[in-house]
Amino acid sequence: MWPVGYEERLRSWVQLRSDCENKPLNEQLNQIAGWWGHAPRVKHAIHWHDKSNWPDPWELLADNNFDELAIALGMSYTLLMLDSINTSVELAQVKDQTAVEYNIVLVDDRKYILNYDPWLSVNTEQTDFEILSTINVDQLKKKIG
């Protein structure tokens, strides 16, 4: 169940990050995917081409409006704020073979995907997509501070 109030969401998000520390990467990814899978979804929250106005993690949790991109952004922030994470994180816009576009998080040199399946991390060997655009995570790190 998704936490109702901002303070509750913030505490739950901090607990998520704490619970992920010192676990194997795949367990971390599945736990993060599961937590964000509960986020209430809206049709439009943020736009790919409006990066300069994307919310920081605390604004994202306070707004409580999550489209597919906002969830991918939240997953990225979560990964970037883990002390134990020592791998690549890349936010990407992709298109699959049926021309459906997704906003995903590529992890560990593009070995794993978050936000392709709303509840689990997926190995990239199980998917076939074309990368349309990516975000340098240094831009996201600046929003974290």
Side-chain angles (χ1 to χ4, degrees):
M1 175 182 268
W2 187 250
V4 177
Y6 171 69
E7 294 295 328
E8 187 181 348
R9 276 191 301 281
L10 188 58
R11 277 192 300 276
S12 181
W13 187 55
V14 168
Q15 187 63 51
L16 166 68
R17 295 191 330 264
S18 176
D19 290 347
C20 285
E21 292 295 341
N22 303 313
K23 287 187 176 177
L25 180 61
N26 198 41
E27 285 183 38
Q28 290 177 334
L29 298 178
N30 282 320
Q31 193 160 354
I32 291 166
W35 192 85
W36 282 100
H38 288 286
R41 296 176 188 264
V42 298
K43 192 162 182 88
H44 300 288
I46 60 177
H47 193 277
W48 184 266
H49 297 290
D50 193 23
K51 296 169 194 71
S52 62
N53 290 315
W54 282 2
D56 66 32
W58 302 276
E59 292 167 334
L60 188 67
L61 288 173
D63 291 344
N64 204 32
N65 289 311
F66 303 100
D67 59 8
E68 183 185 274
L69 177 55
I71 290 170
L73 182 61
M75 291 173 166
S76 298
Y77 285 145
T78 304
L79 285 164
L80 293 171
M81 291 180 72
L82 288 176
D83 291 332
S84 65
I85 200 80
N86 190 20
T87 190
S88 62
V89 177
E90 194 175 1
L91 186 56
Q93 188 177 49
V94 301
K95 180 171 57 172
D96 69 10
Q97 62 275 21
T98 62
V100 174
E101 290 187 11
Y102 296 89
N103 296 292
I104 61 172
V105 182
L106 298 166
V107 183
D108 196 19
D109 294 322
R110 299 182 176 181
K111 182 177 179 183
Y112 299 104
I113 304 170
L114 290 177
N115 210 37
Y116 190 75
D117 179 316
W119 298 97
L120 298 169
S121 71
V122 177
N123 190 302
T124 53
E125 293 174 1
Q126 300 169 319
T127 62
D128 184 23
F129 56 81
E130 170 191 357
I131 295 175
L132 303 173
S133 184
T134 61
I135 301 295
N136 183 326
V137 293
D138 289 337
Q139 291 177 288
L140 301 181
K141 289 177 181 177
K142 288 179 187 174
K143 295 224 178 240
I144 295 170

